[in-house]
Every structure is written in C-alpha cells, then in structure tokens.
Amino acid sequence: MATRTGNRSSNSNRSTSGGNRSRSSDRSAFNWGDSGALVGAAIAGAAIAVAANMGRKAVMQGLSASAGDWDEVLASEHDAALMIFDKLLATDDGQTFKRTMLLKKLTHALDKHAHEEEHVVYPALRDANDAADADLLEGEHGYVKTFLFDLNEMEKDVPEFASKVREFRALVQEHAKMEEEQVFPRLKRELSPEQNDRITSLVNKAGFMMA
Ligand SMILES: [Fe+2]
Ligand SMILES: [Fe+2]
C-alpha cells in the first residue's frame, strides 16, 4: 500500500514537470528511490514489531518456564486453564462480551499447551514405549478442539453455553489429572536427568513459538 502511494506521487511529478526523458527510465529512477526509502521504513517498522513480539513471547513463556521442569510447567498451565474456566462459569448470560474474551483466552492457552504436549511430550512418551497413553491423550485433545469449536460457534447468551463450558471443564480436569498423576511422573522417572532437561527445554521452545 505504502509503495503504491509512492509510485503514484512519482508518476504525477513526472507528468507536471514534463521533460523528454523516456517514461521507463523515469519510472525506474523514481520508483527505486521512493520505494527504497519506503521499504527501509517498512523493514525498520517490521523489525520493531518483531522485537516487541519477541519480548512479549519471552515474558509469556517466561511465566510458564519459571514453574520449573517440563511437568511442572505443564501442570501450571493446567491450573491456569482451569482458572479461565472458572471465570467463564462465573459469568451470566448477559455478559456476552466477557464470555467471548475469556473464550479467546482459553483457546489460546489450550492451543499453546496442546502444541507443547503434541510436539514434545507425547512423542517422547511413544519413544518410551507408552504409545497407548500418548494416543489416548492426543485423541482427547481432538475433543478439546471440538468443545472450543462448538463454544466459539455458539451464541454466548444462551443457557446451553454454561452447561457446555461445565462439561468441557470436566473433560480438561480429568485429562490433566491423568497427565499429572500417572503419565508425566512415569515418563519423568524413565528419563535420565539430561533427557528431562532436554524435554524441559523443548517444551519451553514449543511454548515460545505459540506464546
Ligand atoms: Fe494433554
Ligand atoms: Fe496437559
């Protein structure tokens, strides 16, 4: 858009100043000068935006990472997600904007969490000969997405909204309980300290990408 505006103004300069230079050489001289400056400004702006976003991501993932080992990071994210559920359940049918905002927050939190588990922890589980649990848990993530889809599509002022959220919360709570009480402790025991450190680092990297 900015480049196009620059081109347009350079064309009008050419037509008013007249001259007998060929149109093509004129166009190239002006356009490279204008678009070069504009591209430079755009790159500088993009660099600032990227740096700001990296800072935000670092803060966001830092909050999770400060929880410690990979299993503690994931458990703290379970707690954070359940807190968003509770805030959603504290709304009434008239608070549609708040419901929409909290649902967005929940979607982001659960997407990020699923990315960390599906790209790091569940593959490590399968490599540790626990494919059955990995497949079951990953299958449940599919239902998490289904609940999110249904709730995002649903009107926010209907009584069914809260009952759907309650049903969803129960699924997430059960899923998190199985991970925290059975699956994660077993995997952690099976891995060496170095392997656990590696999983922690990979979980943080995966979270950073999604933060
Ligand atoms: Fe999970
Ligand atoms: Fe989880």
Side-chain angles (χ1 to χ4, degrees), residues 50-72:
V50 167
N53 196 35
M54 295 289 275
R56 183 190 62 78
K57 280 170 173 270
V59 170
M60 294 302 291
Q61 187 54 25
L63 292 174
S64 292
S66 63
D69 291 351
W70 62 269
D71 56 326
E72 293 160 333

Side-chain angles (χ1 to χ4, degrees), residues 97-171:
F97 180 74
K98 194 167 181 185
R99 283 182 171 181
T100 301
M101 290 298 109
L102 286 168
L103 196 54
K104 258 188 212 300
K105 204 170 164 185
L106 184 64
T107 302
H108 180 258
L110 291 175
D111 276 351
K112 173 175 173 286
H113 185 76
H115 187 80
E116 293 160 354
E117 292 185 340
E118 290 173 12
H119 287 259
V120 181
V121 178
Y122 298 169
L125 261 180
R126 292 188 184 95
D127 284 349
N129 294 320
D130 195 0
D133 280 342
D135 293 347
L136 184 142
L137 291 167
E138 194 150 345
E140 287 183 352
H141 282 194
Y143 288 92
V144 167
K145 289 172 181 69
T146 306
F147 270 109
L148 287 170
F149 173 79
D150 290 345
L151 285 168
N152 276 300
E153 287 297 299
M154 191 180 270
E155 294 298 330
K156 307 298 180 285
D157 60 351
V158 294
E160 294 76 33
F161 184 86
S163 54
K164 192 93 177 167
V165 171
R166 247 187 302 277
E167 203 187 329
F168 185 14
R169 189 190 190 284
L171 170 90

Side-chain angles (χ1 to χ4, degrees), residues 1-12 27-28 30-43:
M1 171 88 70
T3 305
R4 204 176 291 159
T5 307
N7 292 350
R8 204 180 296 133
S9 69
S10 64
N11 288 343
S12 66
R27 182 182 300 132
S28 62
F30 268 106
N31 283 358
W32 280 109
D34 272 9
S35 62
L38 287 167
V39 167
I43 289 172

